[in-house]
């Protein structure tokens, strides 16, 4: 089964529609031992096809518009944080304490980009939170060199930080969490109630670009990359996307810029501002959450609780490790999932773990989530029902490592690497082994996007200065080619719908 056909089948789409997708292959981009390029194009292609399908449902009497996926555009988008320039400045990438460390018996990866995660990491290791970066790096390195990797993982996690020990693919597959992840579909889909079928207002094809999500309101409760990529895509397609963050937990500034295109950004306290949130929810069509499973439940934000208060809603949920298994409640980021699931071992050498050429788990999962939302909206218009869509970085990692099963099954139990040259395609020849953590570093845009990345970049003015950014890779005939709105300052918008 072709990659796009596999993803489309997981999304519940009509297999005949995959004939509408054409791909411009560029073998020189996103080179890796694992089939990153093919995964990336499949995720984007499925998302574009879901957008085209919804557009046809609403406004295109001639049938589903043709979709074109260009590997060059996909590669630029998957490394968008490296192409970004803000007033000519390169973005800040990984913090000094977000890195791979050698331990007494292996390696451990920490994530400390956010100040609260940095503070918790240092506290877990008995170091002062205000330790200057250079001294902190030396002190942490010395401490971890004498400790077992799994012990560090558990200690930091218990303190509310983010650290994961390096595992081989075999070790991950044999773990309880690895087995739980492998048994789940790439994209989880469900019906939460028997709400009536959704009725869309028609979108006239003559009114500029065809926007399949026009008139829809998306409440964005996500952070970091994967969730914001999904909602950034829905904004591209015409949705009114309002991102809401807690006032005391700001997003990293450059990350906010990269994933903030097309959206508005507001702050809201889910306890003291509960009435405002309920008003937003009462008029929302889609809610996307990206916090740890269970962390929002105490606010009544589980999928079923949301649908009970707003029948007909589409609830989309992203997690790092999956909303199941013993690691369901753990913090996780792309770099940590690469290390924990065996990808860093596969991409590395005997001397050092490696990393993918992009934060492909984040970006790929983001497009899968957007595709799931678009397909849920289409299904609602036919059969009704509040809908649930769930994705996990670790589940995307399992697909990348093993390749999609020919019958659309989960791929559990298949040999690692079966999705390589024979199934999903991968780069060939000698390549630099990227250390786990430098996949997102600035200044490596040419290597990341491959030759000819510039056609997929654009510049524009914004409230934050002149921006250079990667164009959206989701393209279909008559559809949008860029976001209408540039990102603005974090939290600067009112918490209300337009």
């Amino acid at each position: 089964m072709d990659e796009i056909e596999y993803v489309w089948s997981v999304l519940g789409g009509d297999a005949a529609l995959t004939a509408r997708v054409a791909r411009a292959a560029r073998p020189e981009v996103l080179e890796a031992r694992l089939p990153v390029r093919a995964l990336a194009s499949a995720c984007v292609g499925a998302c574009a096809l879901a957008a085209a399908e919804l557009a046809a449902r609403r406004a295109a009497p001639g049938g589903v518009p043709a979709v074109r996926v260009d590997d060059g555009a996909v590669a630029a988008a998957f490394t968008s944080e490296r192409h970004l320039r803000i007033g000519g400045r390169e973005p800040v990438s990984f913090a000094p304490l977000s890195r791979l460390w050698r331990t007494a018996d292996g390696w451990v990866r920490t994530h400390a980009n956010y100040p609260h995660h940095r503070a918790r990491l240092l506290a877990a290791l008995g170091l002062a939170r205000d330790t200057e970066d250079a001294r902190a790096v030396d002190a942490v390195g010395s401490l971890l060199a004498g400790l077992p990797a799994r012990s560090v993982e558990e200690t930091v996690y218990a303190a509310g930080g983010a650290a994961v020990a390096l595992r081989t693919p075999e070790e991950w597959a044999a773990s309880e969490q690895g087995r739980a992840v492998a048994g789940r579909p790439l994209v989880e889909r469900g019906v939460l109630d028997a709400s009536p079928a959704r009725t869309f207002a028609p979108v006239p094809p003559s009114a500029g670009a065809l926007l399949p999500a026009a008139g829809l309101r998306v409440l964005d409760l996500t952070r970091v990359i994967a969730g914001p990529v999904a909602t950034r895509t829905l904004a591209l397609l015409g949705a009114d996307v309002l991102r809401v963050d807690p006032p005391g937990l700001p997003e990293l500034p450059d990350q906010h810029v990269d994933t903030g295109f097309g959206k508005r950004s507001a702050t809201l306290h889910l306890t003291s501002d509960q009435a405002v949130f309920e008003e937003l929810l009462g008029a929302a069509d889609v809610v996307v959450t990206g916090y740890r499973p269970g962390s929002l439940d105490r606010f009544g934000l589980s999928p079923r609780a949301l649908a009970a208060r707003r029948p007909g809603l589409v609830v989309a949920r992203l997690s790092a490790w999956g909303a199941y298994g013993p690691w369901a409640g753990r913090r996780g980021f792309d770099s940590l999932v690469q290390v924990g699931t065996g990808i860093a071992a596969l991409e590395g050498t005997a001397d050092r773990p490696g990393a993918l050429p992009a934060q492909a788990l984040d970006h790929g999962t983001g497009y899968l989530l957007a595709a799931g939302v678009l397909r849920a909206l289409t299904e609602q218009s036919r059969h009704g029902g509040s809908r649930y869509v769930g994705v996990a970085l670790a589940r995307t990692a399992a697909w990348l490592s093993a390749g999609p099963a020919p019958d659309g099954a989960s791929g559990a139990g298949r040999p690692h690497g079966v999705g390589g040259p024979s199934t999903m395609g991968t780069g060939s020849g000698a390549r630099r082994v990227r250390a786990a953590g430098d996949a997102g570093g600035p200044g490596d845009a040419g290597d990341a996007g491959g030759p000819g990345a510039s056609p997929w970049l654009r510049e524009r003015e914004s409230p934050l200065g002149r921006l250079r950014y990667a164009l959206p890779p989701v393209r279909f005939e008559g559809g949008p080619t860029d976001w209408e709105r540039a990102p603005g300052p974090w939290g600067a918008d009112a918490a209300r719908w337009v």
Side-chain angles (χ1 to χ4, degrees), residues 267-294:
T267 60
L268 200 66
H269 198 290
L270 291 178
T271 301
S272 58
D273 298 325
Q274 185 176 3
V276 178
F277 178 83
E278 292 300 323
E279 185 176 350
L280 291 172
L281 175 63
D285 298 286
V286 179
V287 175
V288 185
T289 67
Y291 292 80
R292 288 177 297 123

Side-chain angles (χ1 to χ4, degrees), residues 110-125 129 152-163 249 292 329-333 336:
T110 56
H111 194 287
N113 284 7
Y114 289 98
H116 57 291
H117 288 159
R118 180 187 188 277
R120 292 168 185 172
L121 170 65
L122 293 176
L125 299 176
R129 298 185 176 199
V152 174
E153 175 183 276
E154 293 300 325
T155 299
V156 175
Y157 166 67
L249 197 64
R292 288 177 297 123
R330 293 203 175 194
R331 295 166 181 82
F333 300 89
L336 300 184

Side-chain angles (χ1 to χ4, degrees), residues 211-306:
L211 300 174
L216 299 176
R217 290 170 167 170
V218 178
L219 195 53
D220 179 1
L221 306 178
T222 70
R223 295 176 68 79
V224 198
I225 297 177
V229 163
T231 52
R232 182 180 70 181
T233 303
L234 297 174
L236 168 75
L237 299 171
D240 178 13
V241 178
L242 178 64
R243 173 165 166 169
V244 175
D245 287 282
L249 197 64
E251 181 61 282
L252 300 174
D254 293 348
Q255 199 160 266
H256 166 71
V257 175
D258 182 47
T259 59
F261 284 86
K263 310 178 195 179
R264 293 177 297 118
S265 170
T267 60
L268 200 66
H269 198 290
L270 291 178
T271 301
S272 58
D273 298 325
Q274 185 176 3
V276 178
F277 178 83
E278 292 300 323
E279 185 176 350
L280 291 172
L281 175 63
D285 298 286
V286 179
V287 175
V288 185
T289 67
Y291 292 80
R292 288 177 297 123
S295 64
L296 295 180
D297 290 2
R298 67 183 185 276
F299 299 108
L301 300 181
S302 69
R304 290 199 177 275
L306 288 167

